């Protein structure tokens, strides 16, 4: 075992997940390999529909009824979550891994008081009395910056930002080792977004949980996550230290995402990747990005690439032509290159 | 209008229960249209045997598949004749109900303010109105024929359609295309009937099916309570005759068929409504 | 909350006022002459006048209306054309009879319907679910009087388990009193109409609860509860069922209204001496003071049901603000 494996808290191996839609299977996740170290902050990015939420739901064990985990292992502290029985699984939820969901408004039950919903989470895993649990909830509210006096409010009485804070407080309730955050601030204005992330990162520094942050805001990831994972159409195409990927992406799709953010220091227009994500029906071959990729060659269409380590420590990429990427980086920054070469 | 109708049937045809229901309704319509031609006897014709004796309360035989009534009438023939009034009354009531309900809902939702207040108060009053008792009182005063029955049912039934439509108009009113129509100077009338109304069509069609189901049952209830049109034999009045004769418990063949016919017809109407509703708008709930 | 209550009560009263007004004018302005049966046109005009005066029919319409309103407030419903006794005295028992039949069966039907509907939705896709949906829809599509007749045919005539109708055996209780309502004989008579009404009223809450539950189960807060590690039972009761009750509460007034109004039919089949049967009989005899009184009482029950459901909804859904 290497040093890195020992620090790993959550590790996913060889995970395939399908959705059944009208008797057809959609390959939502393929061959996911991922290891999250204790206390790490990992940014997970990728276009809408690439399977980020599906991955988090698989980890939490709340996939919808039409989803099927075909193969794979999701291990938390070495024990496989997928092979646990229902009661064991229930106990690990929230206590070990919690989640901050995409939409705080819909995630809170409108007919119960917010405080009661936090108390419920606490009491599902401990014998605390309601009074103790409430005192704890009040502390959590203070931590996230909501006056504890508002524990007895209903969700509709909170502003969007406060709701999101309440959901964060809930996620912290049992001091889990991993928190998954699925676009925790969409639908909030930018200033509130910044405040919330600032608070979330502060709390992470204090408490030391690992944070997996799903977001469309690549700039935020570059700024604040040490590791990043890039997903495309259900597979991980590149992952590794953020600064490396940001400086020199080895996958054309990562490069596309990277140069899609405006850079005030460089004198160039942000690009946008032409085309749209592929059909995820089971049974397609080749690299899933091939049809939008300016570097695609015959081989890319024929044969799916493996996720390979690069020369850099902890950096992996899934591309037949990754070795040539450094030579093309300059070209990738121009929209014309994308448009002319996409097959 | 025609397009929404053909789309309506296409949508229902997609679901298996909808398909079965459509076939059943088709058969009922067929009976309503051709039943009187197929019926071996008239609905009130008294049947005598060879000896000249009235064939009273005969159990089902080869001659009388569903037996005869106390007055020597052929139940099978009555059933075949009775589909027509049940369907005519049901369909006309359903259409009238929905036309009134949709218009009130449109006006209240679109115009808002005092008009809305007034119309909704009115709807509330009608919602508080006891349904059958009111119809009975009304019928006892206006006299009983097909038209007064339809009228009486329409007066009470528009209320739920109005509510559903109003709620939908309120949300439509804020949409962009309405605002766009307003800025081009379209009149309120045009906006209501050209822009909003087409979007209400699905609700209206669901409303029609549920109103139809409800109207068929109500018509039967009215008949059973003795307030049906005395000159018309419908499925409801067959049950009433059996009940009033006090012979029904001796002659199940007399009471069972009309009840089953109503049950099958109304069940399939409900399933049609639901099959459509599920596709068009999973949100709205059935209401009477 | 108090303001909300006051406002709703005011609306309810307004509704009743409008209804009683409509009733009054309907009887006097519509073509049929309800007094014709009592005051035979064959009588001498003098005698007719005298009779009319006795019922207050000789005064101008508007004055009659005012008297009518005053009497309503005083719960004076006038004199029955048929028995020539005060209507108020006859109607009290009828009201109780209707309530003892309708209320308990509604409550039971609602409880069972909501619970079973929630359960089959929770375990969705079972064979039982499909069968129950079909049965409930078919029952809902069945005229309830016919259901009652079949029940009598089968349980009373064939199996001889229950009496064929009426509220107690003839002659057992000359006076309706508490003792009567507590007697076994009464319960024996109640059983069949009660069961038929439960079977019929079960359908709507069942179907509605099932479809609401099916959409509630997909809500994010159910997923969050599951992620929180809340036990499944608690998710079912505390989140899914609790939230799915809201639409059921909104439709409650309508259902109560139907149930009370539907009593007309079920009471007729079972010869159950409630308000509904009284009304049907009175209409048949053109006894319009009784018709009016019975109708208005039924309307009061319906409107009270609406009011109750509104308040219940306000309690169940904290998002409702009482303006
Ligand atoms: N319940 C479902 N049934 C069928 N297909 C689904 C279901 N949920 C998601 N999918 C499909 O699986 C794929 C991945 O969806 P997922 O929600 O995981 O994407 P995502 O990366 O979270 O997107 P976003 O950024 O928009 O949240 C998409 O193609 C989506 O259409
Ligand atoms: Mg997502």
């Amino acid at each position: 075992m290497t040093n890195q494996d020992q620090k790993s808290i959550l590790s996913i191996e060889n995970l395939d997940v399908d959705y059944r839609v009208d008797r057809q299977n959609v390959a939502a996740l393929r061959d996911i390999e991922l290891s999250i170290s204790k206390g790490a902050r990992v940014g997970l990015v990728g276009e809408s529909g690439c399977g980020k939420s599906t991955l988090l739901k698989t980890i939490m064990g709340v996939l919808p009824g039409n989803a099927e985990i075909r193969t794979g292992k999701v291990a938390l502290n070495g024990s496989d979550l997928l092979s646990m029985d229902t009661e064991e699984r229930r106990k690990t939820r929230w206590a070990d891994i919690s989640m901050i969901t995409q939409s705080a408004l819909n995630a809170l039950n409108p007919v119960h008081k917010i405080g009661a919903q936090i108390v419920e989470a606490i009491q599902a895993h401990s014998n605390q009395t309601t009074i103790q649990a409430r005192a704890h909830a009040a502390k959590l509210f203070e931590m996230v910056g909501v006056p504890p006096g508002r524990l007895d409010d209903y969700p509709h009485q909170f502003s969007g930002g406060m709701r999101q804070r309440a959901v964060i407080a809930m996620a912290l309730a049992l001091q889990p080792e991993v928190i998954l955050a699925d676009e925790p601030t969409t639908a909030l204005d930018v200033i509130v977004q910044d405040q919330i992330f600032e608070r979330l990162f502060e709390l992470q520094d204090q408490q030391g949980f690992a944070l997996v942050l799903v977001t469309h805001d690549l700039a935020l990831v570059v700024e604040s996550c040490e590791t990043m994972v890039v997903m495309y159409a259900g597979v991980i195409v590149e992952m590794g230290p953020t600064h490396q990927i940001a400086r020199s992406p080895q996958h054309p799709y990562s490069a596309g995402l990277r140069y899609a953010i405006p850079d005030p220091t460089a004198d160039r227009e942000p690009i946008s990747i032409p085309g749209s994500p592929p059909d995820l029906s089971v049974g397609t071959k080749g690299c899933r990005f091939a049809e939008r990729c300016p570097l695609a060659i015959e081989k890319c269409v024929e044969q799916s690439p493996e996720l390979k380590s690069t020369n850099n420590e902890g950096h992996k990429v899934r591309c037949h032509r990754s070795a040539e990427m450094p030579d093309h980086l300059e070209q990738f920054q121009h929209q014309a290159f994308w448009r002319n070469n996409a097959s | 209008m025609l397009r929404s109708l053909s789309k309506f049937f296409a949508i229902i045809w997609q679901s298996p229960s909808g398909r079965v229901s459509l076939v059943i309704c088709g058969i009922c319509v067929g009976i309503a249209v051709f039943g009187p031609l197929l019926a071996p006897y008239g609905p009130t014709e008294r049947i005598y045997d060879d000896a000249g004796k009235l064939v009273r309360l005969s159990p089902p035989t080869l001659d009388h598949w569903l037996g005869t009534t106390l007055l020597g009438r052929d139940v099978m023939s009555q059933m075949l004749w009775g589909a027509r009034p049940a369907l005519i009354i049901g369909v006309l009531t359903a259409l009238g109900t929905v036309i009134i309900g949709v218009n009130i809902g449109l006006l209240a939702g679109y115009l808002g303010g005092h008009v809305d207040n007034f119309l909704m108060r009115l709807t509330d009053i009608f919602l508080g109105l006891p349904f059958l008792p009111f119809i009975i009182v009304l019928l006892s005063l206006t006299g009983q024929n097909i038209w007064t029955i339809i009228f009486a049912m329409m007066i009470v039934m528009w209320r739920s359609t109005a509510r559903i439509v109003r709620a939908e108009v309120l949300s439509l009113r804020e949409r962009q295309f309405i605002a766009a129509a307003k800025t081009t100077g379209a009149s309120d009338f045009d906006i209501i009937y050209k822009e909003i109304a087409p979007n209400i069509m699905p609700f209206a069609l669901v409303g029609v099916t549920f109103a139809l189901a409800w109207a068929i049952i109500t018509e039967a209830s009215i008949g059973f309570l003795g307030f049906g049109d005395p000159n018309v034999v419908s499925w409801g009045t067959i049950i009433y005759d059996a009940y009033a004769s006090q012979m029904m418990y001796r002659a199940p063949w007399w009471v069972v068929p009309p009840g089953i016919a109503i049950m099958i017809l109304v069940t399939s109407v409900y399933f049609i409504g639901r099959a459509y509703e599920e596709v068009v708008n999973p949100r709205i709930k059935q209401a009477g | 909350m108090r303001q909300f209550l006051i406002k709703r009560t005011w609306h309810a009263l307004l509704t009743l006022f409008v209804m009683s007004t409509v009733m009054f004018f309907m009887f006097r302005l519509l073509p049929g002459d309800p007094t014709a049966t009592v005051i035979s046109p064959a009588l001498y005009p003098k005698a007719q006048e005298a009779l009319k005066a006795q019922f207050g029919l000789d005064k101008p319409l508007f004055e009659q209306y005012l008297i009518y309103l005053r009497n309503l407030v005083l719960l004076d419903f006038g004199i029955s054309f048929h028995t020539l006794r005060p209507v108020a005295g006859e109607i009290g028992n009828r009201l109780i009879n209707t309530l003892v039949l309708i209320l308990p069966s509604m409550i039971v039907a609602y409880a069972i319907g909501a619970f079973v509907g929630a359960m089959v939705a929770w375990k969705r896709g079972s064979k039982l679910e499909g069968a129950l949906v079909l049965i409930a829809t078919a029952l809902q599509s069945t005229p309830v009087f016919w259901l009652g007749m079949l029940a009598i045919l089968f349980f009373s005539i064939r199996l001889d388990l229950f009496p064929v109708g009426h509220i107690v055996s003839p002659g057992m209780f000359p006076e309706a009193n508490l003792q009567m309502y507590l007697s076994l004989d009464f319960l024996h008579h109640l059983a069949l109409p009660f069961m038929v009404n439960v079977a019929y009223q079960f359908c709507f809450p069942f179907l509605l609860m099932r479809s609401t539950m099916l959409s509630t189960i997909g809500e994010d807060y159910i997923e969050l509860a599951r992620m929180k590690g809340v036990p499944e039972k608690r998710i079912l009761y505390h989140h899914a069922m609790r939230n799915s009750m809201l639409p059921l509460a909104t439709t409650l007034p309508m259902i109560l209204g139907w149930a009370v109004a539907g009593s007309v039919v079920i009471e007729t089949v079972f010869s159950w001496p409630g308000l509904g049967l009284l009304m049907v009989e009175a209409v048949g005899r053109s006894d319009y003071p009784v018709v009016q009184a019975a109708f208005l009482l039924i309307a009061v029950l319906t409107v009270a049901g609406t009011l109750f459901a509104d308040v219940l909804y306000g309690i169940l859904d904290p998002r409702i603000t009482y303006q």
Side-chain angles (χ1 to χ4, degrees), chain C residues 186-263:
Chain C
F186 166 76
L187 290 179
H188 195 201
H189 282 79
L190 177 67
L192 204 54
F194 177 84
M195 287 188 314
V196 168
N197 210 35
V198 168
Y200 183 66
Q201 300 291 352
F202 155 87
C203 310
F204 186 86
F206 167 79
L207 291 168
L208 182 59
M209 188 67 174
R210 174 182 160 271
S211 65
T212 322
M213 270 292 276
L214 284 177
S215 61
T216 307
I217 286 172
E219 293 282 351
D220 288 354
Y221 55 77
I222 300 288
E223 188 177 86
L224 181 68
R226 198 160 279 144
M227 292 195 292
K228 284 197 296 194
V230 176
E232 286 293 300
K233 273 243 166 64
R234 185 176 160 93
I235 299 179
L236 169 61
Y237 294 121
H238 196 69
H239 292 280
M241 270 175 89
R242 170 68 178 77
N243 287 59
S244 304
M245 271 161 56
L246 295 177
L248 217 55
T250 12
T251 51
L252 192 63
M254 223 153 51
I255 309 298
L256 279 175
W258 293 349
V260 176
S263 67

Side-chain angles (χ1 to χ4, degrees), chain A residues 53 102 182-183:
Chain A
S53 298
Q102 201 156 0
D182 194 354
E183 300 178 40

Side-chain angles (χ1 to χ4, degrees), chain A residues 33-304:
Chain A
E33 302 270 355
L34 187 62
S35 169
I36 312 275
S37 329
K38 279 204 163 86
R41 188 180 301 158
V42 178
L44 178 58
V45 296
E47 247 161 330
S48 187
C50 71
K52 304 180 299 286
S53 298
T54 304
L55 177 58
L56 299 197
K57 284 181 186 173
T58 312
I59 298 172
M60 291 305 294
V62 291
L63 283 171
N66 65 333
E68 185 195 350
I69 300 174
R70 309 215 351 189
T71 59
K73 205 173 141 186
V74 177
L76 183 76
N77 271 330
S79 47
D80 186 15
L81 293 174
L82 301 183
S83 57
M84 283 181 180
D85 70 30
T86 344
E87 182 57 17
E88 267 182 299
R89 188 78 202 265
R90 182 187 77 74
K91 284 183 183 152
T92 65
R93 290 186 178 140
W94 224 250
D96 299 328
I97 307 188
S98 65
M99 178 149 160
I100 303 166
T101 45
Q102 201 156 0
S103 155
L105 175 58
N106 301 332
L108 293 169
N109 189 328
V111 307
H112 295 305
K113 290 174 181 164
I114 293 181
Q117 298 188 48
I118 297 179
V119 167
E120 181 180 43
I122 298 171
Q123 289 185 328
H125 298 279
S126 69
N127 296 325
Q128 287 189 30
T129 63
T130 306
I131 295 173
Q132 289 168 330
R134 258 188 74 94
H136 186 51
K139 257 188 250 139
L140 293 167
F141 257 37
E142 260 166 29
M143 278 200 259
V144 296
V146 181
R150 305 204 53 178
L151 277 172
D152 283 330
D153 278 8
Y154 287 99
H156 71 276
Q157 294 167 312
F158 270 29
S159 72
M162 284 165 76
R163 260 181 235 134
Q164 200 61 60
R165 286 163 193 269
V167 171
I168 293 175
M170 199 181 286
L172 295 170
L174 297 159
Q175 298 192 311
E177 292 183 274
V178 182
I179 295 185
L180 312 173
D182 194 354
E183 300 178 40
T185 59
T186 34
L188 297 180
D189 73 58
V190 190
I191 297 175
V192 179
Q193 285 190 14
D194 286 349
Q195 288 171 351
I196 286 182
F197 279 123
E198 203 175 310
R199 184 55 68 98
L200 185 61
F201 295 153
E202 256 174 50
L203 287 165
Q204 189 191 12
D205 294 339
Q206 285 166 20
Q207 309 205 346
F209 51 83
L211 178 68
V212 178
L213 178 64
V214 170
T215 176
H216 288 281
D217 185 352
L218 194 71
L220 174 78
V221 172
V222 172
E223 210 174 279
S224 48
C225 301
E226 62 262 33
T227 311
M228 80 185 258
V229 177
V230 183
M231 282 182 69
Y232 182 77
V235 295
I236 293 177
V237 292
E238 185 166 10
M239 62 188 194
T242 307
H243 62 94
Q244 258 173 36
I245 298 181
R247 188 161 8 93
S248 146
Q250 302 240 350
H251 192 284
Y253 180 64
S254 317
L257 287 184
R258 170 70 186 84
Y259 300 125
I261 35 177
D263 184 349
T265 58
D267 179 27
R268 59 169 177 82
E269 292 284 296
I271 59 107
S272 78
I273 308 174
S276 51
D279 172 21
L280 293 181
S281 305
V282 170
T284 48
K285 59 175 184 175
C287 171
R288 290 187 165 195
F289 189 59
E291 62 188 49
R292 298 168 77 185
C293 180
L295 297 184
I297 51 175
E298 194 77 359
K299 186 180 177 194
C300 299
V301 184
E302 292 298 324
Q303 189 186 336
S304 7

Side-chain angles (χ1 to χ4, degrees), chain B:
Chain B
M1 182 73 200
L2 270 180
R3 253 223 243 111
S4 0
L5 264 187
S6 64
K7 212 172 127 203
F8 176 75
F9 286 116
I11 285 175
I12 293 161
W13 198 253
Q14 282 162 12
S15 89
S17 66
R19 214 171 304 163
V20 174
S21 306
L22 266 188
V23 171
I24 292 177
C25 282
I27 293 173
C28 287
V29 171
I31 294 177
V33 176
F34 301 110
L37 300 177
L38 301 173
Y41 304 95
T44 53
E45 187 179 337
R46 294 168 153 228
I47 297 149
Y48 296 90
D49 61 13
D50 297 338
K53 239 184 95 217
L54 194 62
V55 190
R56 279 175 189 278
L57 290 181
S58 152
T61 60
L62 273 181
D63 285 341
H64 307 289
W65 290 1
L66 297 177
T68 61
T69 72
L70 182 67
L71 295 177
R73 291 167 181 158
D74 180 49
V75 177
M76 178 77 184
S77 302
Q78 289 198 320
M79 290 292 300
L80 290 170
W81 282 89
R84 193 180 281 185
L87 271 173
I88 290 182
I89 293 178
V91 169
L92 290 183
T93 309
L95 287 178
T97 299
V98 170
I99 289 172
I100 301 175
V102 164
N103 280 296
I104 291 190
L106 281 172
L107 290 179
Y110 182 77
L111 295 177
H114 289 309
V115 180
D116 184 27
N117 254 336
F118 172 75
L119 289 176
M120 280 305 108
R121 196 69 332 106
L122 195 69
T123 312
D124 281 350
I125 290 174
F126 275 89
L127 273 173
L129 205 62
F131 187 74
L132 268 179
F134 181 78
I135 292 178
I136 290 168
V137 170
L138 199 61
L139 285 178
S140 74
L141 291 170
T142 57
Q144 298 139 26
N145 59 57
I146 286 198
W147 302 110
T148 52
I149 292 172
I150 292 175
F151 173 75
M153 289 202 281
M154 256 166 35
I155 282 195
V156 223
M157 280 173 50
W158 59 267
R159 54 194 190 183
S160 37
T161 313
R163 275 194 152 188
I164 294 174
V165 169
R166 170 180 172 270
E168 200 51 29
V169 173
L170 282 183
S171 74
L172 277 173
R173 203 171 61 170
E174 308 306 324
R175 300 267 189 83
Q176 217 137 43
F177 68 99
I178 303 298
K182 265 187 199 159
T183 50
T184 60
S187 70
D188 281 349
F189 183 88
D190 277 356
I191 294 180
I192 293 180
Y193 290 100
K194 293 204 180 126
E195 305 290 335
I196 299 185
N199 290 289
I200 298 293
M201 266 318 269
F203 295 86
L205 286 172
V206 173
V208 168
T209 56
F210 290 135
L212 177 59
W214 194 233
I216 294 171
I217 293 192
T218 306
E219 189 270 333
S221 306
I222 293 171
F224 166 74
L225 292 171
F227 293 91
D229 186 335
N231 303 316
V232 171
V233 171
S234 82
W235 292 341
T237 58
I238 300 176
I239 302 179
Y240 171 70
D241 285 340
Y243 178 78
S245 74
Q246 310 241 324
M247 287 298 157
M248 57 163 185
Y249 300 127
R250 276 211 271 149
W253 60 84
W254 188 359
V255 269
V256 173
I260 290 189
I262 293 172
M263 179 172 89
I264 291 178
L265 172 60
V266 176
T267 305
S268 49
V269 172
Y270 269 127
F271 273 115
I272 287 177
R274 268 190 231 141
Y276 184 66
E277 193 181 23
E278 261 165 36
V279 176
V280 187
N281 189 340
R283 261 186 314 125
I284 45 173
K285 299 283 173 283
Q286 65 188 96

Side-chain angles (χ1 to χ4, degrees), chain C residues 44-58:
Chain C
Y44 290 114
K46 268 256 166 64
Q48 281 191 34
E49 298 286 293
L51 266 171
K52 282 196 168 174
Q54 191 187 337
F55 290 107
L57 297 172
D58 54 342

